[in-house]
Amino acid sequence: EAADANDFRLKAAEVNKVYSEVLAAVEADRSDLSKAANDARRQNAQFFAAGNEPGWSLVINPSKGEVVYTGDYGKETKSFGYSTPDQGPSGESIYEVRSLKENMRITIASKWCTDDAGKVYPYTVGIELNGKSYAGCGILLQ
C-alpha cells in the first residue's frame, strides 16, 4: 500500500527517536553548572546557589515544594517548605521559608556575582539562618 503523501503523522519509530533525543538533552549535564547544580536541575529544581566560608549550597525546587540548604561543606542539610517569594524594594526576590525548628530568609538579587574561583553568575544571593549570614552566587536551572 502506497503511503499517503498528505499523512504527516509520525510513525512509532520516529516518535521514539524524538523522545530519546529530548530525554538525552534534558538529562545531559549543562557545562555551565556544577555537579550539584546539574543533579538539582535533573530533579526539576528552579534555582541553585552556593557560597564559601563555610561552603554551602541552596536548591529551590517549587515542583517538590521544598528549599534545601546544605551547609558546612556538606556536613549538614536542612529542608524547608517552599513559599512564593516577596519582592524587595530593589526588585530582589525574598523568600521566607520555615521548618518546624527554624526560619531562613533568602534574598536573590539580579546582580552579577563572581565566586571565589572567578566564575561569574547572574544572581547575588544572601541567606540569613540561625543568626548567621551567608553570601554567594546563584543561577536559574530551568
Side-chain angles (χ1 to χ4, degrees):
E1 174 179 321
D4 182 349
N6 295 320
D7 185 356
F8 297 106
R9 291 175 294 184
L10 291 174
K11 310 294 183 270
E14 294 169 316
V15 171
N16 287 339
K17 181 177 184 287
V18 169
Y19 174 77
S20 296
E21 288 170 359
V22 169
L23 196 61
V26 168
E27 291 181 347
D29 282 352
R30 266 180 39 193
S31 61
D32 63 325
L33 300 178
S34 66
K35 181 186 180 324
N38 270 306
D39 290 346
R41 187 181 69 86
R42 276 193 291 279
Q43 294 174 31
N44 204 30
Q46 180 182 53
F47 191 83
F48 181 85
N52 291 318
E53 306 313 323
W56 62 269
S57 66
L58 180 78
V59 175
I60 299 176
N61 193 334
S63 68
K64 284 186 163 185
E66 70 180 7
V67 174
V68 177
Y69 168 86
T70 303
D72 198 13
Y73 301 98
K75 291 180 188 157
E76 65 172 337
T77 300
K78 299 176 184 293
S79 189
F80 298 86
Y82 171 81
S83 64
T84 308
D86 293 319
Q87 188 168 1
S90 302
E92 65 274 30
S93 296
I94 300 173
Y95 292 83
E96 298 272 355
V97 295
R98 293 172 175 72
S99 69
L100 290 174
K101 299 177 186 167
E102 300 170 298
N103 296 339
M104 182 169 59
R105 179 183 173 97
I106 306 159
T107 304
I108 301 173
S110 185
K111 198 166 93 179
W112 291 106
C113 176
T114 305
D115 70 9
D116 288 357
K119 188 167 180 206
V120 179
Y121 293 86
Y123 297 94
T124 298
V125 180
I127 293 176
E128 292 170 32
L129 176 63
N130 299 330
K132 293 182 181 169
S133 295
Y134 303 92
C137 303
I139 191 166
L140 284 170
L141 299 176
Q142 303 300 338

